[in-house]
Amino acid sequence: MNQKIYYEVTIKTFPFVPELITGIVMLLDLIGIEENDNELVCYFEKFNEEDYNFLTNALNNLKKESIIERFEIYQSTLEQKNWNEEWEKTIQPIKVSDKIVIKPSFRDYQKQNDEIVITIDPKMSFGTGYHQSTRLMLRLMEKYVKPGTKILDIGTGTGILAIAAIKLGADFAVTCDNDENVKDNVIEKFEKNDVKDKCSFIVGTINEITETGFDLILANIQKNILMDIAEEIQKRIKKGGFIILSGLLIEDQKEIIEKYESLGCKLIEILIEDEWIGVVLVKN
């Protein structure tokens, strides 16, 4: 009996934008995805010339929009294996800071002292604590989330930042994401982490958020979107409120800070991990 063949497609972009690549490959017959240092490795039951052309056209569009400078695609074939089992072998709990630990549901973890343990299965590494930008957000949140604060999490993805905010003492977290497919997953994560009563979710962008006066706004999104929604963020944050941004590369620092300072915000702190940065601003 012939073994079934699967297709492994490795995608590199410069700069590396895993969340955007993930959104593209999800439109194909994706059965698995894994993030390495500067590449996404995607697995398909089929990957033909039409699929390759779709992928290259989408990546070329990112080049035209100046989101990436260039990309590389590598293809190979693999014999059948248990993808979930192989993936789970590589995933361990990750200690983001002295206080915050991210663990997958299939791993046991013994909580130490006052640690905050968040359960997220990282099927996509961006937005799960297994990516630098998410870790930067979480470390900064430890300093700026105060008991009783009201949070807005834009582009919530897995909901990890909202979950962490509530566990750090925030009173309520409003979340939104323009991908309607994440809704059920986000609600499930809120339930699994016992924060459902303190979190809401809206399908849409920040423009659908009618509330204002937030104490803290979180956005872990790529630079071009953070630039586009800067005015909307400024409208919704209260005076003296904090804004924490990531999904940014070191080279984005000057442009993003100039944009937000032009709207009456002041830079408070920058945190760096590898080529990624997290930025904290306060509204004057």
Side-chain angles (χ1 to χ4, degrees), residues 6-7 28-33 42-45 83-84:
Y6 289 85
Y7 299 87
L28 301 172
D29 293 326
L30 184 72
I31 59 171
I33 189 166
C42 308
Y43 301 98
F44 303 91
E45 287 190 352
W83 296 109
N84 278 340

Side-chain angles (χ1 to χ4, degrees), residues 36-203:
N36 297 324
D37 288 343
N38 287 295
E39 65 185 20
L40 282 186
V41 182
C42 308
Y43 301 98
F44 303 91
E45 287 190 352
K46 76 167 187 70
F47 190 80
N48 54 29
E49 184 177 358
E50 182 180 345
D51 298 320
Y52 177 83
N53 290 337
F54 171 84
L55 180 57
T56 53
N57 287 336
L59 292 171
N60 276 319
N61 285 334
L62 293 184
K63 282 181 62 178
K64 290 176 184 175
E65 295 171 13
S66 299
I67 295 171
I68 62 174
E69 296 176 5
R70 60 190 177 92
F71 63 87
E72 298 172 3
I73 302 173
Y74 304 95
Q75 292 178 248
S76 59
T77 56
L78 301 168
E79 292 185 348
Q80 185 175 17
K81 63 169 75 173
N82 185 327
W83 296 109
N84 278 340
E85 183 179 310
E86 292 297 315
W87 166 71
E88 288 184 4
K89 286 178 184 176
T90 68
I91 304 300
Q92 299 292 334
I94 180 169
K95 199 168 175 64
V96 175
S97 68
D98 288 340
K99 192 168 187 177
I100 298 175
V101 175
I102 312 296
K103 74 173 246 5
S105 61
F106 48 82
R107 292 270 185 247
D108 292 328
Y109 181 81
Q110 189 63 42
K111 180 178 175 181
Q112 305 294 318
N113 302 319
D114 62 345
E115 281 182 339
I116 292 171
V117 180
I118 300 172
T119 300
I120 297 283
D121 287 337
K123 294 180 182 178
M124 300 171 192
S125 66
F126 191 84
T128 62
Y130 291 80
H131 189 275
Q132 295 96 321
S133 65
T134 310
R135 293 196 294 270
L136 289 167
M137 292 291 294
L138 291 167
R139 289 169 190 150
L140 290 168
M141 286 170 61
E142 276 191 60
K143 295 177 64 174
Y144 295 94
V145 175
K146 305 298 180 185
T149 53
K150 182 180 174 184
I151 309 286
L152 171 59
D153 178 18
I154 305 163
T156 195
T158 60
I160 188 172
L161 299 183
I163 293 166
I166 299 303
K167 289 181 176 288
L168 286 165
D171 188 57
F172 197 82
V174 176
T175 71
C176 65
D177 199 294
N178 61 4
D179 182 356
E180 63 183 19
N181 294 318
V182 310
K183 181 177 180 179
D184 290 343
N185 182 55
V186 170
I187 300 302
E188 177 189 334
K189 296 295 182 294
F190 289 163
E191 290 176 345
K192 186 172 289 185
N193 288 278
D194 299 319
V195 300
K196 185 180 178 183
D197 293 342
K198 292 188 175 184
C199 296
S200 65
F201 177 83
I202 295 172
V203 176

Side-chain angles (χ1 to χ4, degrees), residues 204-239:
T205 66
I206 190 173
N207 295 314
E208 276 69 58
I209 305 297
T210 57
E211 297 172 67
T212 59
F214 288 96
D215 301 294
L216 175 62
I217 294 182
L218 310 170
N220 183 19
I221 320 172
Q222 62 268 25
K223 184 197 77 174
N224 63 314
I225 296 178
L226 292 176
M227 296 288 286
D228 290 343
I229 65 174
E231 287 86 355
E232 298 303 321
I233 289 177
Q234 195 271 348
K235 290 176 186 176
R236 289 164 178 78
I237 193 74
K238 75 174 188 180
K239 186 176 180 180

